[in-house]
Amino acid sequence: DPFRVFAHAYTLFVYARATQGPRVPLAIQRRTARELPLEFVLDDSMSMAPGATLSGAREVVVEARVSASGGATPVSGDLAGASATVAPGATGLRITIDRVVP
């Protein structure tokens, strides 16, 4: 499978952002792209900042991004996708990575 060879060196970030307020991720997982398709769970233990918790948000968007550089900051050429707006704790999300970061 050519994708498995390609994905070997790429980092996958799955994270949730509140639809209102700061754009800092409320919960994040770092994995490898070769793990796709991936079942994941995001929760308050994965918070990036004290007081900014997933459970404290009313609505979130869950995003997935494949990074060639491995960096947390999106760069041109990364591959990305996002869910619809959901409540924290939503299950059964399917995120299609279908766009290139400009």
Side-chain angles (χ1 to χ4, degrees), residues 11-54:
T11 303
L12 170 68
F13 295 94
V14 179
Y15 49 95
R17 295 182 195 263
T19 56
Q20 302 293 317
R23 299 230 349 116
V24 64
L26 300 174
I28 189 166
Q29 274 193 28
R30 181 181 176 150
R31 307 290 283 269
T32 62
R34 72 173 168 260
E35 294 177 76
L36 290 170
L38 174 72
E39 289 190 27
F40 63 92
V41 173
L42 296 174
D43 61 35
D44 287 347
S45 72
M46 301 164 182
S47 176
M48 303 241 341
T53 60
L54 186 59

Side-chain angles (χ1 to χ4, degrees), residues 55-86:
S55 64
R58 184 172 294 224
E59 296 179 323
V60 297
V61 171
V62 179
E63 300 179 39
R65 185 173 52 82
V66 176
S67 167
S69 70
T73 303
V75 297
S76 180
D78 285 356
L79 305 175
S83 73
T85 299
V86 297

